[in-house]
Amino acid sequence: MNQIPFASFVPMEKELGDAIKGAFSRVLDRSFYIGGPEDEAFENAFAAYCGTKYCVGTGNGLDSLMLILKALDIGEGDEVLVPSNTYIATALAVTYVGAKPVFVEPDLRYFNLDPSHLEETLTERTRAIMPVHLYGQPCDMDPIMSFAQKHSLYVIEDCAQAHGATYKGKKVGTFGDAAGFSFYPGKNLGALGDAGCAVTNHAEIADRVRALGNYGSDYKYHHIYKGNNSRLDELQAAVLSVKLPHLDRMNEARRKIAAYYLQNMHNPEVILPQVIRDVSPVWHIFAVRCRKRDRLEAWLKEKGIGTNKHYPIPMHLQPCYTDLGFHEGDYPIAETISATELSLPMYYGMTDEEVQYVVDGINSFPG
């Protein structure tokens, strides 16, 4: 029986292992672990990669979004529009600053926030939109930005799954006022632990995010905000600097796998993802839908093919958000995705034989 994991770091680690070990040694020899030259070098390199003026390292992706919201003075009494279909960290960032997440339904074809639903969710308390480039596919940013400009709203992009993805030739993270990235190990650009960053073209936002993530301090023992402790450490920055030059190449490998899946999977029981025009996804996740999702999951498991579900309980039905008063049926599109989505193996280093085996597993599913 073939054993194809849902994800694997092994091929990448075989290629970059020596360089990563060299980064360990460099940090250890320097005996400088937070806020040093590795952090500065990575921040400069990642800002240049994204095409932004500033990058500020943080402890994780959730903190990146939360600190951006704080930097924009979004808090108690404010509302932020977030997609109803995403990982809960997006909504939690809003909750943590005292604001209210307001859910916007996605487009069932692309999984991302549907701009046509923005108007119906707007209130006098709305301060910002937080589009998520889910699964590595860019949102349709032109109508989102037009809506935000019309109503004087901030736009904070959640790029946690979309490192290097482009919309009309421009990298995600460069459209809004600021963007948050996660470098969780499983991301296309992953650290060896939790890590994240915020990127922006606005110096004031960058300065405030940096201070807020450093206990609210603009210089040692001087605290201008009630801040947090959320900083990118030197070791993770050094590892990310090793991986960053290889990101585009590794993203391209994912694109080739996705293209083969899309061209060769032909099962009427399985709905393949669609891609909006003028974008280049990076396929952090290759998500299909199936009305018999659990049976498909079991079928692939029997064949030794690993899968995952993103995300089986929609945010509005999570126990932690019962205070918002939602019930089953309130967000039917998000609920449909949660009940039917299945993520297939997608990682750098998959062999042609492994990719074909996954295709054969899907095509042979009897329903």
Side-chain angles (χ1 to χ4, degrees):
M1 178 184 294
N2 288 50
Q3 291 294 330
I4 301 175
F6 169 68
S8 174
F9 304 140
V10 173
M12 178 196 63
E13 289 169 349
K14 284 184 177 178
E15 288 188 19
L16 303 181
D18 287 344
I20 290 172
K21 291 174 184 176
F24 289 168
S25 297
R26 190 169 66 246
V27 173
L28 186 62
D29 291 344
R30 189 179 282 131
S31 297
F32 199 135
Y33 301 113
I34 292 177
E38 297 289 350
D39 186 24
E40 182 179 0
F42 175 73
E43 288 180 350
N44 290 337
F46 195 68
Y49 175 81
C50 292
T52 58
K53 293 181 180 178
Y54 308 101
C55 170
V56 180
T58 66
N60 55 69
L62 168 56
D63 284 359
S64 299
L65 299 174
M66 178 190 69
L67 293 170
I68 291 168
L69 290 165
K70 278 190 169 187
L72 296 173
D73 291 322
I74 293 173
E76 196 73 34
D78 295 329
E79 295 179 352
V80 179
L81 306 184
V82 302
S84 57
N85 176 55
T86 185
Y87 186 54
I88 199 167
T90 312
L92 287 176
V94 178
T95 301
Y96 287 170
V97 300
K100 178 183 177 182
V102 175
F103 300 124
V104 182
E105 286 277 64
D107 188 312
L108 195 57
R109 298 168 296 175
Y110 312 119
F111 300 108
N112 279 334
L113 180 151
D114 186 343
S116 69
H117 290 298
L118 288 170
E119 192 74 45
E120 65 200 51
T121 59
L122 184 72
T123 74
E124 61 182 13
R125 294 186 173 185
T126 306
R127 292 283 310 282
I129 308 171
M130 192 177 286
V132 181
H133 304 294
L134 196 66
Y135 307 152
Q137 175 162 187
C139 292
D140 193 358
M141 290 306 297
D142 280 353
I144 292 172
M145 294 305 300
S146 295
F147 183 86
Q149 290 162 8
K150 177 182 177 181
H151 297 285
S152 300
L153 305 176
Y154 292 116
V155 174
I156 302 132
E157 296 174 69
D158 183 339
C159 301
Q161 301 182 5
H163 314 67
T166 62
Y167 175 86
K168 296 187 176 180
K170 185 179 177 183
K171 284 193 175 71
V172 299
T174 60
F175 294 88
D177 297 278
F181 284 84
S182 166
F183 301 123
Y184 179 78
K187 305 300 186 185
N188 291 34
L189 180 62
L192 299 184
D194 279 317
C197 79
V199 300
T200 182
N201 283 314
H202 303 283
E204 182 180 1
I205 295 176
D207 289 344
R208 295 193 76 182
V209 167
R210 190 176 300 282
L212 285 162
N214 188 33
Y215 299 95
S217 174
D218 55 347
Y219 61 88
K220 196 171 183 69
Y221 302 133
H222 185 257
H223 304 273
I224 53 178
Y225 310 115
K226 296 174 182 177
N228 301 81
N229 174 19
S230 183
R231 300 170 294 190
L232 179 63
D233 68 69
E234 287 287 278
L235 182 58
Q236 302 302 345
V239 171
L240 291 167
S241 290
V242 170
K243 292 185 175 183
L244 180 58
H246 303 274
L247 178 59
D248 285 343
R249 174 174 62 86
M250 293 183 175
N251 280 343
E252 190 58 35
R254 288 174 177 264
R255 292 188 183 106
K256 290 179 180 178
I257 295 168
Y260 194 85
Y261 280 170
L262 292 170
Q263 291 167 9
N264 292 281
M265 288 181 176
H266 305 291
N267 189 321
E269 297 286 348
V270 178
I271 303 170
L272 300 177
Q274 297 184 41
V275 179
I276 65 173
R277 294 180 57 185
D278 300 322
V279 305
S280 182
V282 293
W283 300 103
H284 174 61
I285 299 294
F286 189 91
V288 302
R289 290 196 303 112
C290 180
R291 290 186 298 275
K292 303 171 184 176
R293 189 262 309 279
D294 293 345
R295 288 173 62 179
L296 176 60
E297 179 184 33
W299 172 265
L300 295 174
K301 184 178 180 180
E302 286 182 6
K303 295 181 175 298
I305 298 172
T307 60
N308 205 337
K309 295 189 284 284
H310 295 89
Y311 301 95
I313 303 173
M315 285 189 297
H316 67 284
L317 299 180
Q318 291 285 355
C320 67
Y321 277 126
T322 55
D323 60 310
L324 296 180
F326 294 117
H327 302 91
E328 189 171 344
D330 287 342
Y331 292 92
I333 300 177
E335 291 171 29
T336 294
I337 293 172
S338 291
T340 60
E341 190 275 345
L342 190 69
S343 303
L344 303 182
M346 171 62 70
Y347 55 90
Y348 173 75
M350 285 186 74
T351 66
D352 292 344
E353 291 77 17
E354 288 171 333
V355 174
Q356 184 63 56
Y357 188 76
V358 176
V359 169
D360 292 341
I362 290 290
N363 288 343
S364 62
F365 175 59

